[in-house]
Amino acid sequence: QVQLVESGGGSVQAGGSLRLSCVAFGSFFGLNAMGWYRQAPTKPRELVANITSGGSTNYADSVKGRFTISRDNAKKTVYLQMNSLKPEDTAVYYCNADLVPIATMRRSEYWGQGTQVTVSS
């Protein structure tokens, strides 16, 4: 059984910082791209940032210059450092990973349970 477990969400004031972490547990090969998505009430889920196994990154325009995604392949962990937070960053943040579970040997996409980030003005 593969699971993505997120941590680090919370409530901050505008201008503050938070760091999200997501660890991949279970038996799998090939931890490929990992990323963070978010979903605000009444809005569709959107990509925040992702990172390949080689370290190439991609960011949504709305977070460029404020958020930094990184990963530690040995720890099977992806991070999202969020600085200069704005009220519009308020959302549930979801971790995403592309990997190959040993149980199925088929490349699959997994999601974490989500962690709430609330930014007050």
Side-chain angles (χ1 to χ4, degrees), residues 68-121:
T68 302
I69 190 170
S70 61
R71 63 190 286 169
D72 185 329
N73 291 329
K75 295 182 178 180
K76 303 175 184 178
T77 301
V78 63
Y79 306 97
L80 186 68
Q81 178 66 44
M82 305 185 292
N83 298 328
S84 303
L85 282 160
K86 304 176 181 180
E88 51 264 43
D89 294 318
T90 295
V92 177
Y93 284 68
Y94 296 91
C95 174
N96 173 272
D98 176 5
L99 51 82
V100 181
I102 291 176
T104 65
M105 296 303 290
R106 294 181 63 179
R107 188 169 176 172
S108 304
E109 188 176 39
Y110 282 80
W111 293 89
Q113 80 284 357
T115 185
Q116 177 70 45
V117 171
T118 302
V119 185
S120 58
S121 58

Side-chain angles (χ1 to χ4, degrees), residues 4-11 18 20-22 35-49 63 67 80 82 85-96 111-119:
L4 302 182
V5 179
E6 301 131 332
S7 61
S11 298
L18 284 173
L20 305 182
S21 300
C22 172
W36 291 95
Y37 288 70
R38 66 186 181 187
Q39 188 167 19
T42 73
K43 293 187 177 180
R45 190 173 296 190
E46 63 175 0
L47 173 68
V48 176
V63 307
F67 291 11
L80 186 68
M82 305 185 292
L85 282 160
K86 304 176 181 180
E88 51 264 43
D89 294 318
T90 295
V92 177
Y93 284 68
Y94 296 91
C95 174
N96 173 272
W111 293 89
Q113 80 284 357
T115 185
Q116 177 70 45
V117 171
T118 302
V119 185

